[in-house]
DNA sequence: CTGAAAGCGCTAACAT
DNA sequence: ATGTTAGCGCTTTCAG
């Protein structure tokens, strides 16, 4: 009876294994593997060869504990499913690329409680910094962020008091900006279509800004339609149909995001509405996606990629100002009139 | 001159701090914080109160090193920007929710080299398991996965030899399935529109399957159009226009993903093509998005969320079979004829 | 139920 | 340029 070849119980390799395999002290092996310059080329080669042959993968847990430094950046966003945050993440990844820092993503589903949990989990890994969407957090979450002793960058929104640094746009201003455009184009009866989510603070601020801005021109939101879940494109369609049926005299539809706006636009084009003549429309975010629609939906670009990049640069210490912490960056969102707002 | 209130140099709190604050040994504090049952309610309360007041966040680095266990699951996908992987991630998150395991996401941008790097980074944190998209990896990446000594689940694709477990669909079979549908509907001249990415192995397999399937009916792909980068919806439009101009006798357009398919569909509807009468169309993935289009694009559902859930369950040991490792799950993709393939 | 001792795998700091 | 020593903050194991 031959002993079947046993796939060795797989104790993960340690520095010591490499050290023994190449006859160099653990310390020097460690130096080589961390790309430190103070090792002779000869030893370096020997070590590298041994590490490669064995298939050694360093243990960052031990490394992190010993060095008290961890090359992780916690990134917390509400969602991945709506085209908007992935672009922020892409910006962060790109900016961190050559810094030795690694982003780690967490998702909250727009739930403050989930955010608190995810944050706790992530901070327990002692990351070098944290990037988190929004300025609204539970008290406990705020406390954790304040006490973490690492740079914190709150992103997307600049309407509020940041914990440390902030990179975003004013959603209230974006709402007002849209109100100005609507008023200038002479639309009179505005409908708002958005999400039901109580915790989408930014959408709420945009609506506030819109309402305020309209009020200054004696205008107001005359009907509202909210949704949650499902295909945003389809919901946009359905909500638009519902609103137009209920309030046929509406002449402008403001959507809280481009996706439902696109659904609404497709619906209106099919039904032969005169856009932008009799009916104006606008969304929010400036997703690339809009480029492929039959007509360019008006929108406000939320500078998502740029926000991601700047936040990452602050964490990485790549920002130019020389200031440490407490950066306040408010980007100016660009209004893109597209083809769905008539010229004044 | 008063000393400005200095925000104490913020040495992160340790178990010892909590221990001293509540007069209970570090060991017992540790027990409480890990929710172990063998602590008296009285001590438990004391400890919890102290931990909360201080705002203690455990150090998982130290914990992981001591216990040799880390509650992280490495998840590696090619991209976040195309609606498809976010849904896989959602499935994984949901399935891991109540397991104590935490997913950590990495993105490769469809680059084998990047995949290798991301994998190395992630494995160096000694996760409890890894979920990785696709069956094609560099030799080094394969070696790492094989030697990691943790459960590995390769997902999305089942055409090939997995390292450990696999959960996916056969993209080759999906291609053949579409070929059958096309042949059965009587289309004769097929055009293929897809991505230029050399490393999108699954799209390649679908094309192979399609080609083989068509060949069995004496049919073939008569024209091909590829793109990279940019708004997929817009590219779909442009490619469709180009192909239809170049090969006006084409009567079926097969897109390698739903997004470019949607762009093509919008274009064709605008131009008044007779769909599905004179021109058939189909995409791939079954993204929810399609629901909102004026006409339902035919597609094959790739079971993304389900794949994520099953993969996570395997890692979490929640799968039913009782088998340890080496699970092979091939899901059957559903062909959804929609409105863009004529009835036979 | 609670505590004391040992050590996880690595790196900082100090020799040499 | 290389080696030695002493922990990092927790959890395991074993004793009370």
């Amino acid at each position: 009876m031959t002993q079947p070849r046993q796939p060795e119980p797989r104790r993960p390799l340690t520095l010591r294994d490499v050290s023994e395999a190449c006859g160099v002290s653990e310390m020097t092996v460690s130096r080589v593997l961390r790309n430190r310059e103070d090792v002779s080329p000869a030893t370096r080669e020997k070590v590298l060869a041994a590490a490669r042959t064995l298939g050694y993968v360093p243990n960052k847990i031990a490394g992190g504990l010993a060095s008290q430094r961890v090359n992780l950046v916690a990134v917390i966003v509400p969602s991945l499913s709506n085209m908007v945050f992935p672009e922020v993440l892409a910006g962060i990844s790109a900016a961190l690329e050559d810094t030795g820092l690694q982003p780690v993503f967490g998702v909250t589903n727009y739930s403050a409680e989930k955010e608190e949990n995810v944050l706790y989990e992530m901070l327990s890994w002692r990351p070098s910094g944290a990037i988190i969407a929004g300025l609204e957090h539970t008290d406990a979450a705020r406390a954790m962020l304040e006490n973490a002793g690492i740079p914190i960058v709150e992103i997307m929104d600049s309407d509020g008091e940041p914990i440390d640094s902030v990179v975003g746009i004013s959603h209230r201003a974006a709402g007002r900006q849209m109100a100005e455009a609507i008023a200038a184009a002479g639309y009179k009866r505005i409908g708002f279509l958005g999400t039901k989510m109580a915790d989408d603070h930014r959408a709420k601020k945009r609506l506030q800004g819109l309402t305020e801005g309209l009020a200054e021109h004696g205008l107001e939101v005359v009907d509202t339609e909210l949704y949650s879940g499902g295909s945003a494109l389809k919901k946009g369609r359905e909500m638009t149909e519902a609103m137009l049926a209920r309030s046929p005299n509406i002449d402008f539809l403001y959507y809280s995001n481009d996706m439902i706006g696109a659904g609404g636009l497709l619906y209106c084009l099919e039904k032969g509405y005169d856009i932008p003549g009799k009916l104006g429309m606008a969304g929010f975010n400036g997703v690339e996606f809009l480029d492929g629609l039959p007509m360019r939906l008006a929108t406000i670009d939320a500078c998502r990629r740029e926000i991601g990049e700047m936040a990452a640069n602050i964490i990485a210490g790549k920002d130019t100002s020389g200031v440490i912490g407490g950066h306040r960056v408010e980007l100016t969102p660009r209004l893109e009139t597209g083809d769905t707002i008539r010229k004044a």
Side-chain angles (χ1 to χ4, degrees), chain A residues 82 84 206 256-258 283-287 299-304:
Chain A
N82 53 16
V84 3
R206 291 197 294 277
S256 76
N257 69 61
D258 288 336
F284 179 83
N285 264 331
V287 298
T299 192
I300 291 186
D301 182 78
C303 313
R304 299 179 308 288

Side-chain angles (χ1 to χ4, degrees), chain A residues 103-272:
Chain A
V104 180
F105 306 125
V107 178
T108 70
N109 292 317
Y110 287 99
S111 148
E113 191 201 356
K114 188 96 190 277
E115 177 181 278
E116 193 179 308
N117 294 336
V118 171
L119 189 59
Y120 185 79
E121 279 297 318
M122 292 197 143
L123 290 183
S124 72
W125 288 102
R126 301 286 187 267
S128 296
I131 298 175
I132 185 165
L135 294 160
E136 287 77 17
H137 317 287
T138 64
D139 289 342
R142 270 192 93 82
M144 280 190 254
L145 288 167
E146 279 163 356
N147 294 318
I150 56 174
I152 308 292
V153 186
E154 289 164 285
I155 58 170
M156 311 307 285
D157 191 0
S158 65
D159 293 324
E161 266 315 302
I163 292 168
D164 177 9
S165 298
V166 60
V167 181
I169 64 170
S170 164
H171 286 257
R172 184 178 294 259
R176 297 186 86 104
Q177 197 177 349
M178 188 55 81
E180 289 306 320
I182 291 171
Y187 294 105
K188 299 297 182 199
R189 289 167 304 280
I190 292 85
F192 175 80
L193 303 91
T195 60
K196 208 169 270 169
M197 271 174 296
D199 286 333
D200 189 344
H201 302 282
R202 292 177 289 286
K204 205 175 297 174
K205 289 172 184 174
R206 291 197 294 277
L207 177 54
Q208 273 174 24
L210 180 83
T211 308
E212 292 166 14
L214 289 176
E216 290 170 9
H217 293 274
L219 300 173
E220 58 174 357
V221 170
V222 298
D223 196 1
T224 295
E225 183 84 21
L226 301 177
Y227 82 105
S228 61
S231 159
L233 203 64
K234 185 179 190 187
K235 290 291 181 185
R237 224 171 237 285
E238 295 170 353
M239 290 196 291
T240 303
E241 179 167 20
M243 179 170 291
L244 257 17
R246 186 171 59 225
S247 314
N249 66 338
I250 272 184
D251 66 357
F252 197 94
L253 299 171
Y254 179 63
Y255 296 85
S256 76
N257 69 61
D258 288 336
M259 206 61 170
I260 55 175
L265 177 58
L266 288 175
Y267 172 80
C268 290
L269 290 176
E270 265 167 67
K271 296 299 174 191

